[in-house]
Each structure stands twice: as C-alpha cells, then as structure tokens.
Amino acid sequence: MAIRTTPAAADQNMLPADPIVVAADVRKRFGSNEVLKGIDLRVPKGEVLCIIGPSGSGKSTFLRCINQLERIDGGAIWVAGELVGYRREGNFLYELTDAEIARQRRRIGMVFQRFNLFPHLTALENIIEGPVQVLGEKPAEARERAEALLARVGLADKRDAYPAHLSGGQQQRVAIARALAMRPELLLFDEPTSALDPELVGEVLGVMRDLAGTGMTMIVVTHELGFAREVSNRVAFMDQGQLVEIGDARQVLSDPQQARTRAFISAVHK
Amino acid sequence: MTDTVYQISHLVHVPRRHYGRMVAAALVVAALAAIAHAFAVGQIEWNYVGEFLTVPAIMTGLVNTIVMAILAMVVGIALGVIFAIMRLSENPVLSYTALGYIWLFRAVPALLQLLLWFNLALVFPTMGIPGVFSVPTVDVMTPFVAALLGLGIQQGAFTAEVVRAGLLSVDRGQYEAAQTLGMTRLKMLRRIIMPQAMRVIIPPVGNEFIGMVKLTSLASVIQYAEILHSAQNIYYANSRVIELLIVAAFWYLIVVTILSLIQGRIEKYFSKGAAPAASTK
C-alpha cells in the first residue's frame, strides 16, 4: 500500500525551529515504575531553562529522552521542529534507523554529571573527535576551533593533557568545549556540578554563565538554586515524574505557587 | 638535664641475620647445581645440539611454527571480535549463536579439533557450491589448512570471551558520550570503545599468543611441518632424540621471549592517558 504524500504531510516533518524543544505528554517507565507521567514543555530558542527537583523526580531521565539516550514510551518530543526518533508519514510513525538517530543527536550537545571525557584522548583530541569523525571537518580547521574553545573555557595551556591529569572542574570545562565544538543548537546539562568538589563548582558555573550570555539555548538539570536564580530565564520544578511548576526563575524560586515546590525550596535552603 | 643513659647515638647498629634466607638460598643453589651436573654428565651430546640448531629442516620448521602461530591468532582475534560483538548484541539469534560457538569450541580439546578438520574428507568427500564447482576435500584440507582452522577457530572462542570482558570494562558513560556526539555504533566501537577495551584485552591475548606458539606443536600430529615435527623427523633418522628436542625447546624459548617483549611495548602504547603519575608534558 503506497502512502500518498501530500504537501501537508511533508510539512509534518518540518515544524518551525522555534520553540527549539517541544515535549508533549512525554511518558517513560522503567519496568513497572513510571518515572515520567506526561511532561508538557516548550523551550524557545535562546532560553536558559533550569530543571530542579528532588532526586528520583525524573528530571535527568527527561533530559536524556531529548537526545534519545532513553526511549520514550508515550507522547512525543520535537527538537528544532523535527520529531525525535520517528519520521511521520500520514498516520504512520516510522522508527528511525541508528544512522538517522545519530544524525539527530549531532545537533544536541550534552554535558554529563561525570564528565565522560574520553580517557585515551588528550583535551584537544577530545574536542576535535566529534567535528572530525562525525561532521567530517578538516583536522587542521577543527584543531584551530578547538584551541579557541579551550581558550574560551580558560584551559588553553591544557590542550595536550589527558583527562586523568585534570581536576574535575577542568574536565567538565573540557567537556563543555567538546559539546560546543559540534556547533549544537541546544545544550543539555545533566547535573554538571554534582560530582565536583565544592571549590571547583564556581569555575564550571562561570563558563556556563558566559555561555548563557551568548544566546545559547540551554536546559540545565541542577541543584544549584543560586545559579538558577541568577542565570536562567525560567525554572521548572519536577517531582515524582510530573512537571509541578514552571515560570520565571525569580518568581518560582522566591514565591512558588505550589506546596511541593515550596517544601523543596525551603528544604534545600535549610 | 639529659641522662647519659639515654645517649645511644654513638652506638653501632648491627643488622639482624636472616638465617632462614641463607638456608633456603643454599638449598636452592644446591638443587640447581645438581640439575646442571646431571645434564652435564648425562647422555646428551651437546655438540649435536649445536650442529642441528640451524640446519635447513629446523629453520623451515621454525618459520612454519611462526607463520602458523601468527595466522591462527589473526583468525582467532578476528573471530573473537566478531563473536564478542555478536554476544553483546540485542539480537537474540546473534547472541545465542555466539554463545553456542564459544561453548562448543572451548569445550572440545584442540588436538581433537585438529584431527576432526584433517579428517573432514571422511564426512564430506567433496566441497564447493552445488552445481557451480566442487573439489575433493582432501585437496583442500592440507595439514596447513586443517591446522589453521583447528587452532584459529578454537582460539576465537577464547578470544571472544577476552574481548567481551574488555568491552564490558568500558564505562557506560563512554558509550553515552560517543552517542551524544552523533557517532554510529561502528564508529563508536572503533574510535572510543575498542581503544579503551584494548588495555584490558592485550595482556590476556598476549598470553594466548604465547600459548598459541606452543599449541602449534600439536599440528605435528597431522603432519604439518612445524618445528617439533621437523625435529622428530630428524631424530627418527639419527636417534638423537633428546638433542633435537633441546633444539626445538631452544627456539620456542627464543620466540616466546621476543613475543613477551613485543607484548610489553603494545601494553605501553594502549595505556595512553591511564597513569595519573605520568608527565603531562
């Protein structure tokens, strides 16, 4: 049976690129445990959104669904107007191939809690790996951009250091440079400072603050309420797989409307 | 008001004597001397050892041993990587096929496998694609091919487990970071996972390479002209059994020593970025 492709049907695969993330009733379960119970969210281009909430609230899982490190069990996500994980033709959703999923992921940078730098590559090699191997950039060109990125995160002198020789804060800054080297349209941060010694948190948040100033769209799962208040446009509070409250950063953090948000924020400040 | 009785810095330190160590060393030296003496006065014509050390038949056997060990390891590593990846595949058919291969070829003794391959003609008198071409199996299953298949395939079963352990040793976060960069599965394995898994894989594979050098001696049973087979052929003619076995043992020692050195170099190469104590310069 041939599927008739009308112009309207073709357009269904290319929605406007702004908002850059649209999540509609996103559901995810691990076995019998439903960790996302229908998340609806829109993130406009250039916004810095912080997601806060107690551990186990599903905020990291939701972040990982956006770049398909987790498969969603219900609902849908669009990134830059493109449906994540599926191609839509008429009334059918065709699951994408590995190569197509890989292509979708290229546009989304991710920074992990535990850095996940490649230990067998130097800082510079970590940064050029994606551009050269995935985007097909010329090594010389990628190297030049990587050095500029290292300078931007304040690590120009560490280009030839292996990750094992860098502090946690330095590793995380290299990881941010690695994500930026792919020229992403969206950056995801999964608790980027949670694995750091307290005195190293500031240097990473500083780099992220600079980044927010450049108009990069960022979704940050974090426990750093100070950073959320100061840098983000909006703050979302998640609890037990639900988006409980979302709004202007200062308003949510200073004057939350929901009882659960209030309880969480006062517990963190205690 | 320091008491003179507490002033002992001018006294001489006398290290304690390790009598136990001295006794043990004396016993071991005596035993080694006895063994050396036994070989010196035993019925070994050492001049024959020297004479046969580099004769053409032994040299050919040495080359055949090295060639077989290398080719069997190449087959073994190739099969090992393929079956390790199959074993970790989400496709149950691939995964269980790999499991079956590992189970079967680890269980059946290498010597028995060599004999099976060598005698394949008893089961399949001819081989080929029906209707296209066909050749007598005995023409294909030369001692060389039978030894290569027997040794390579059983090596693959062992190497598959080593490679699987190597792949599993790489942190999940490495897979996720590679995926996040938009790498396909194959590129991720080749660029990110394998180089890290190699650190775990190299030492046991180096051991198995050394084992393989010695395992090739089994091929003498199916008339493959490796070094032990050459040595045997000579001593069947001149009855200098021990002398020729010593010749073969000498060459095994040399080859294994060289391989151990190479293994050390390769391990060093793949330990890049591993030791925090190393200089960053």
Side-chain angles (χ1 to χ4, degrees):
Chain A
M1 187 186 78
I3 297 164
R4 214 152 49 87
T5 313
T6 61
D11 284 345
Q12 289 173 336
N13 281 309
M14 256 308 142
L15 298 173
D18 196 2
I20 204 149
V21 176
V22 176
D25 194 31
V26 171
R27 290 171 184 277
K28 171 73 186 173
R29 54 169 67 248
F30 292 120
S32 60
N33 181 23
E34 192 167 34
V35 289
L36 295 178
K37 298 171 183 163
I39 303 292
D40 288 288
L41 182 68
R42 280 163 187 249
V43 181
K45 208 169 194 144
E47 177 172 81
V48 177
L49 171 71
C50 280
I51 305 180
I52 60 171
S55 44
S57 59
K59 53 196 193 306
S60 284
T61 303
F62 175 65
L63 200 69
R64 291 160 61 81
C65 289
I66 296 175
N67 69 351
Q68 306 181 65
L69 289 178
E70 306 286 354
R71 277 184 59 153
I72 60 177
D73 298 319
I77 300 175
W78 286 261
V79 172
E82 203 177 326
L83 185 60
V84 162
Y86 295 92
R87 182 168 38 83
R88 183 169 172 183
E89 277 181 28
N91 288 327
F92 297 94
L93 289 179
Y94 294 95
E95 207 175 309
L96 295 184
T97 64
D98 283 348
E100 288 168 324
I101 292 172
R103 184 184 55 75
Q104 286 193 334
R105 283 185 177 132
R106 286 180 203 171
R107 315 184 298 172
I108 308 169
M110 184 153 189
V111 175
F112 299 89
Q113 180 178 354
R114 304 205 50 85
F115 331 134
N116 295 347
L117 290 180
F118 305 130
H120 60 302
L121 302 179
T122 63
L124 188 89
E125 288 168 345
N126 262 281
I127 297 170
I128 66 173
E129 184 68 12
V132 172
Q133 293 296 326
V134 177
L135 301 180
E137 209 168 300
K138 287 199 182 71
E141 191 181 313
R143 200 169 290 271
E144 205 169 298
R145 285 207 303 123
E147 293 194 1
L149 284 168
L150 274 174
R152 186 163 152 194
V153 298
L155 292 170
D157 56 327
K158 296 291 185 188
R159 46 167 286 170
D160 294 324
Y162 285 100
H165 304 137
L166 298 174
S167 72
Q170 291 170 334
Q171 287 189 55
Q172 195 61 299
R173 286 187 279 157
V174 173
I176 293 172
R178 177 175 70 177
L180 287 174
M182 295 295 286
R183 295 199 172 94
E185 296 172 56
L186 167 68
L187 265 186
L188 308 175
F189 293 82
D190 187 7
E191 302 197 24
T193 58
S194 297
L196 295 175
D197 290 336
E199 77 273 20
L200 303 177
V201 169
E203 62 189 66
V204 172
L205 292 182
V207 167
M208 290 170 63
R209 188 176 293 118
D210 293 345
L211 208 51
T214 66
M216 171 68 71
T217 313
M218 296 161 61
I219 303 180
V220 185
V221 168
T222 187
H223 293 295
E224 298 288 336
L225 299 191
F227 174 83
R229 180 192 307 272
E230 192 190 330
V231 178
S232 64
N233 306 104
R234 284 194 300 166
V235 165
F237 172 71
M238 280 182 69
D239 189 23
Q240 293 174 12
Q242 288 166 323
L243 193 61
V244 176
E245 182 166 359
I246 181 166
D248 175 77
R250 282 184 185 78
Q251 194 247 305
V252 171
L253 292 169
S254 318
D255 183 24
Q257 302 301 301
Q258 301 290 326
R260 278 196 277 178
T261 318
R262 248 192 315 271
F264 174 76
I265 288 170
S266 68
V268 170
H269 280 315
K270 229 165 242 169
Chain B
M1 46 146 264
T2 313
D3 271 325
T4 50
V5 73
Y6 292 116
Q7 295 288 343
I8 62 161
S9 57
H10 60 287
L11 300 181
V12 179
H13 291 260
V14 181
R16 84 183 152 108
R17 302 255 173 170
H18 297 278
Y19 293 107
R21 287 187 200 174
M22 290 179 199
V23 172
L27 285 176
V28 169
V29 168
L32 289 176
I35 292 169
H37 179 257
F39 272 87
V41 302
Q43 307 273 331
I44 300 173
E45 304 274 352
W46 287 100
N47 55 323
Y48 275 102
V49 174
E51 193 179 311
F52 282 99
L53 200 58
T54 54
V55 294
I58 292 293
M59 287 295 100
T60 310
L62 176 62
V63 170
N64 284 344
T65 290
I66 295 171
V67 166
M68 179 56 67
I70 292 173
L71 290 182
M73 275 317 278
V74 168
V75 171
I77 291 171
L79 289 176
V81 171
I82 291 167
F83 280 98
I85 291 172
M86 279 172 66
R87 180 86 179 79
L88 295 173
S89 164
E90 284 171 19
N91 184 334
V93 176
L94 295 188
S95 177
Y96 279 102
T97 302
L99 187 65
Y101 163 81
I102 293 165
W103 167 75
L104 181 63
F105 288 99
R106 275 205 309 183
V108 180
L111 180 57
L112 199 157
Q113 288 182 48
L114 290 182
L115 292 170
L116 275 179
W117 286 107
F118 192 54
N119 292 302
L120 199 67
L122 299 177
V123 193
F124 310 107
T126 61
M127 54 200 301
I129 302 171
V132 183
F133 77 98
S134 168
V135 287
T137 302
V138 276
D139 291 352
V140 179
M141 261 323 143
T142 60
F144 174 81
V145 173
L148 181 59
L149 287 177
L151 295 174
I153 290 175
Q154 70 103 29
Q155 184 59 49
F158 284 96
T159 309
E161 287 295 89
V162 172
V163 173
R164 186 170 72 99
L167 293 176
L168 290 177
S169 76
V170 179
D171 186 65
R172 243 179 76 92
Q174 294 292 309
Y175 288 84
E176 292 184 349
Q179 286 173 335
T180 299
L181 289 181
M183 286 191 176
T184 55
R185 193 173 153 73
L186 216 65
K187 181 154 277 181
M188 170 175 75
L189 281 173
R190 193 168 60 79
R191 295 287 310 175
I192 305 300
I193 305 305
M194 265 305 189
Q196 295 182 57
M198 285 307 258
R199 275 183 47 220
V200 174
I201 293 172
I202 288 289
V205 167
N207 269 341
E208 291 189 352
F209 209 137
I210 286 166
M212 176 60 78
V213 170
K214 298 183 294 174
L215 214 54
T216 54
S217 62
L218 291 182
S220 63
V221 175
I222 56 169
Q223 309 305 316
Y224 177 68
E226 48 70 60
I227 192 162
L228 182 60
H229 189 254
S230 305
Q232 285 175 319
N233 274 346
I234 298 173
Y235 71 63
Y236 289 147
N238 69 5
S239 300
R240 295 293 173 191
V241 177
I242 295 297
E243 289 79 359
L244 278 145
L245 289 179
I246 291 174
V247 166
F250 171 81
W251 286 115
Y252 282 117
L253 264 175
I254 296 293
V255 172
V256 168
T257 305
I258 293 170
L259 279 179
S260 308
L261 295 175
I262 295 173
Q263 182 187 352
R265 297 285 289 272
I266 297 176
E267 277 176 30
K268 207 169 161 196
Y269 174 81
F270 280 106
S271 69
K272 269 194 310 184
S279 163
T280 57
K281 294 270 162 60

